Amino acid sequence: MIKKIFFLILFAPSIINCSGSNDNNVDIPVPNQPAEFTTKDATEAIDAFNLNFYNKDMQLYYTTSDKRGVAAIWTQAIYWDMVMNAYKRTKNEKYLKLIDDIYQGGYNKYDKYNWNNDVEWFIYDDIMWWVISLARAYEITKDQKYLDLSISGFKRVWEGSPVVGDTGSYDPVNGGMYWGWKDDQRGKTACINYPTVVAAMTLYNITKEPSYLNKAKEIFSWSQDKLFDAKDGKVGDHKYKEEPTNWTTQVYNQATCIGAAVMLYKETGDKMYLNDAILATDYTKNTMSGKDGILPFKTGIEQGIYTAIFAQYVIRLIEDCNQPQYNEWLRYNINKGWANKDKRNLTYKNFNVPCPTGILEVYDVSGCPALMQVISPK
C-alpha cells in the first residue's frame, strides 16, 4: 500500500518520477579494509540475506530484518532473480528448491498470478518485473507453468484487460509504454519501457515468436529517442505527454537500458545496441558513481534495491558482449561492501560505511549479495 500511495502522489502531471529523487551519494571514509571476496563469501552473503529476510511460511521476503511486513510486490521478483543467480552459480539444489518455493509464495499471495486483479497488480511495471523473472525461471527449470504465466502477463500488459477495463500499456499512436492505466499514471517511464524490451527479448529467445522481437525493437527505439541521451549515456526517468523528458537518473533505469540493448545486440549483431549499452554503463560508472567509484544509492521508498537490478544486467554486458573492463570496478564495489558487513553477514546499500546495526530494510541490503552472485572473484 505504501508504494501505491507514493506513486499516486508522485504522478502529478509535472512531477512524474518512477522512483523518487533523493540522492545520498556521499563519500565517507571506510573504517574497514577490504579484501578480495571469494566464492565462499558469495554463498555466505546470499545465505545471510535469506536467513534474515526470507519468510519460510509465506515463501516471500519480509520488509525488515526483524521479520515484519512483506516486501513490495515488484521487489519480490528481484529477490527471486538473486536466488536463480545463486543456483546458476553454485548448482546447489537448495536454491533450485527455493526457486519453486518463491513461485508458490507469489502464487498464494498474489491471487494465483491473476493479472486481472488490479488490487494486487495495480501498475504495469509490477507485472512486467514478474513476467521477466517467470521467463527466467522457465529457462532454468523448463517448467511450463512459468512460461505460460510469463506469456499471459506480457499479453495483459501490452493489450490490457477486459476485466480491468484498460487498453494496455502500449501506445499504438505515439509509441512507448504507459506506466499505469489510471489517469494519474499515464506517464511513460523508463521502468516500464526498458523492462518491456527485456521481457520481450527473453520470451523471444524461448519461443522464437517474431512478434516479441518486433515489439522489443519498437519499444527500444522509442525509449532511445525519448529517454536516452546519446551524448553521454544518461537514461531519463520518464516522459509525460508533451512535457520535456525528466532526466532524473536512477541506477535501475541505467541497468534495464543496458540489459535491453545487450539482448538486442546479441540477436541482431547491430553495433548500435552494443554502443548504447557501453555508453549507459560508462555513465553509471564515471558520472553517477562516487569519486572513488562506489555505486550510488538513494534513500527513497524501495530504492535500496537498485544496485541488485544493476547486477542482473551489467553481467550480461560483461559476459555476453565480452566487455570484461567493468569487472575490476564491480569487484572493488563488492570488496568494499563485504568488508563493511555486520556480524550477521549483512551489507548496506552504501558500500562505503559499516552496515548499520539493528533493524534493516530488505531493499537496502540486497545490492552487494546480488552483485556477488554474478561477478566472479578475482
Side-chain angles (χ1 to χ4, degrees):
M1 180 59 73
I2 290 175
K3 183 185 177 191
K4 187 170 186 178
I5 294 171
F6 174 68
F7 277 124
L8 289 177
I9 294 171
L10 205 53
F11 258 82
S14 64
I15 57 170
I16 303 175
N17 186 320
C18 192
S19 312
S21 59
N22 292 328
D23 265 309
N24 193 11
N25 182 24
V26 293
D27 295 306
I28 300 172
V30 183
N32 298 323
Q33 293 300 313
E36 294 291 343
F37 79 99
T38 66
T39 55
K40 180 175 179 289
D41 293 331
T43 299
E44 288 180 355
I46 190 67
D47 287 349
F49 181 81
N50 287 333
L51 177 64
N52 285 276
F53 292 100
Y54 181 66
N55 183 334
K56 292 182 180 179
D57 295 325
M58 186 174 288
Q59 297 175 299
L60 291 171
Y61 287 81
Y62 292 110
T63 303
T64 55
S65 57
D66 60 346
K67 298 180 169 32
R68 295 179 183 272
V70 184
I73 188 171
W74 72 281
T75 68
Q76 300 284 353
I78 310 307
Y79 307 135
W80 199 25
D81 287 337
M82 290 169 62
V83 169
M84 291 186 222
N85 290 334
Y87 174 70
K88 287 190 285 187
R89 182 180 63 82
T90 66
K91 301 304 180 185
N92 191 314
E93 292 293 318
K94 73 178 181 182
Y95 301 122
L96 184 62
K97 181 180 184 303
L98 197 52
I99 292 172
D100 193 60
D101 288 347
I102 293 170
Y103 160 82
Q104 192 61 47
Y107 182 91
N108 296 336
K109 174 68 175 174
Y110 306 126
D111 191 19
K112 304 176 182 178
Y113 300 103
N114 173 14
W115 310 125
N116 295 313
N117 183 333
D118 65 346
V119 175
E120 295 292 350
W121 308 96
F122 59 86
I123 211 77
Y124 288 126
D125 79 293
D126 283 359
I127 299 174
M128 196 59 80
W129 294 108
W130 277 92
V131 166
I132 295 168
S133 299
L134 284 160
R136 290 182 182 139
Y138 173 79
E139 289 179 317
I140 292 171
T141 67
K142 304 306 179 190
D143 189 328
Q144 189 66 33
K145 67 175 182 275
Y146 298 132
L147 180 57
D148 290 345
L149 282 169
S150 182
I151 290 172
S152 65
F154 188 94
K155 179 180 173 67
R156 186 265 175 274
V157 170
W158 190 272
E159 299 179 2
S161 163
V163 176
V164 175
D166 66 304
T167 57
S169 177
Y170 173 59
D171 180 354
V173 177
N174 299 305
M177 308 290 288
Y178 289 111
W179 180 66
W181 51 87
K182 297 171 184 172
D183 289 343
D184 56 357
Q185 301 169 341
R186 298 302 274 177
K188 295 174 181 176
T189 60
C191 69
I192 181 59
N193 279 276
Y194 288 114
T196 294
V197 178
V198 172
M201 286 307 300
T202 308
L203 287 170
Y204 172 75
N205 289 338
I206 294 169
T207 67
K208 299 305 177 185
E209 169 54 53
S211 65
Y212 288 123
L213 179 59
N214 294 335
K215 288 178 171 68
K217 288 179 177 178
E218 178 184 347
I219 300 305
F220 188 84
S221 177
W222 182 91
S223 300
Q224 297 309 82
D225 182 50
K226 304 297 185 183
L227 298 172
F228 187 73
D229 188 334
K231 298 187 298 296
D232 59 15
K234 173 172 55 180
V235 177
D237 189 76
H238 61 266
K239 181 83 169 65
Y240 185 79
K241 295 185 178 180
E242 300 306 315
E243 294 181 8
T245 298
N246 181 304
W247 288 105
T248 301
T249 56
Q250 318 280 3
V251 169
Y252 79 145
N253 289 336
Q254 298 291 132
T256 52
C257 173
I258 294 163
V262 165
M263 297 183 82
L264 283 165
Y265 171 67
K266 281 190 65 181
E267 176 57 30
T268 67
D270 189 334
K271 285 287 184 67
M272 171 192 73
Y273 297 120
L274 176 59
N275 291 339
D276 284 352
I278 291 172
L279 200 61
T281 308
D282 286 345
Y283 185 83
T284 309
K285 177 178 183 287
N286 300 326
T287 303
M288 293 177 68
S289 296
K291 63 184 180 182
D292 62 350
I294 293 296
L295 280 157
F297 65 93
K298 294 192 174 183
T299 58
I301 297 172
E302 300 160 17
Q303 293 180 345
I305 198 172
Y306 291 175
T307 298
I309 298 170
F310 187 74
Q312 185 71 43
Y313 295 102
V314 72
I315 189 60
R316 299 277 56 82
L317 176 62
I318 293 169
E319 292 186 349
D320 297 349
C321 301
N322 190 28
Q323 301 293 319
Q325 66 268 27
Y326 301 108
N327 274 321
E328 183 178 354
W329 166 52
L330 295 169
R331 287 175 185 139
Y332 172 75
N333 271 267
I334 292 169
N335 290 337
K336 280 289 194 79
W338 189 241
N340 282 310
K341 66 183 181 295
D342 68 8
K343 293 180 180 179
R344 298 167 290 185
N345 282 334
L346 297 179
T347 56
Y348 191 54
K349 62 185 176 183
N350 182 354
F351 297 162
N352 261 331
V353 301
C355 183
T357 59
I359 299 171
L360 297 168
E361 286 196 348
V362 63
Y363 319 111
D364 294 344
V365 302
S366 61
C368 194
L371 283 167
M372 294 171 84
Q373 303 319 301
V374 297
I375 301 298
S376 60
K378 192 172 183 178

